[in-house]
Amino acid sequence: VALPAWMTVVLALLLLDLGHFAIHWTLHNVPILWRIHRLHHTDHDFDFSTAARFHPLEAIVETGANLLVVVLVGAPPLSVAIYVLSYAITTVWVHGNIRMPDGWDVRLRQILVTPDMHRTHHSQLQSETNSNYGGFLSLWDRVFGTYVHEPVGGHEGMVIGIREFDDPRHIRLGWMLRNPFLRSTFRVGAGAD
């Protein structure tokens, strides 16, 4: 039985977002992939520029993984176009230093990832870094038990980044490109802290 076209598009969008969640979770939970992803977490501030802080190796790995998800899902071109455009907008928005009124944030994050929800993901506490992986929908974090509502110290008391990379030299291009090859004791995985 063939699904109506609109339902195929919506189902594909859900599966593409689930694929993004799985890729992001994997980047945190497979040590060699964490090494190429952690550059994104070394930013000392959480703002729009954080959305662009990725190692070139991660771009290659993530693009390949996303293409694999598109093929496995059999996503129609319209779904892929909608998802890529919405993700591009969303990734800048969720990395923005934006504070919404609490009531709005709580209501909106029932469906979508909000800046406050994603900011928790950039905490120096490993249990918070290993949470809130969602890209567009907050649903997947709730379903898979990786949702954290609020950082332990609240948003005002939360420290962003990775302690071992707090030295200002790590925000220079050469050090950022070297980051995956530097040693770190910051463990990956859901139970680390």
Side-chain angles (χ1 to χ4, degrees), residues 3-119:
L3 296 174
W6 69 269
M7 193 178 291
T8 302
V9 169
V10 170
L11 182 59
L13 286 169
L14 287 170
L15 292 173
L16 291 172
D17 199 53
L18 175 59
H20 175 271
F21 173 90
I23 292 166
H24 196 179
W25 183 92
T26 303
L27 287 169
H28 277 255
N29 287 278
V30 174
I32 194 160
L33 296 177
W34 167 248
R35 290 178 76 104
I36 65 171
H37 179 63
R38 73 180 177 203
L39 172 63
H40 178 65
H41 287 267
T42 62
D43 204 348
H44 301 156
D45 296 308
F46 185 82
D47 56 31
F48 293 114
S49 71
T50 308
R53 181 183 291 260
F54 289 97
H55 195 276
L57 291 173
E58 180 177 357
I60 292 166
V61 167
E62 197 164 351
T63 299
N66 280 315
L67 288 172
L68 180 61
V69 169
V70 167
V71 170
L72 290 174
V73 167
L78 179 60
S79 296
V80 175
I82 292 169
Y83 190 77
V84 168
L85 179 60
S86 65
Y87 183 74
I89 293 166
T90 302
T91 197
V92 172
W93 180 61
V94 300
H95 287 99
N97 193 10
I98 299 168
R99 294 299 300 249
M100 297 186 318
D102 286 338
W104 291 17
D105 181 81
V106 169
R107 283 190 292 276
L108 190 57
R109 74 165 63 181
Q110 294 299 314
I111 299 169
L112 304 175
V113 175
T114 65
D116 273 2
M117 181 181 164
H118 191 71
R119 185 180 301 108

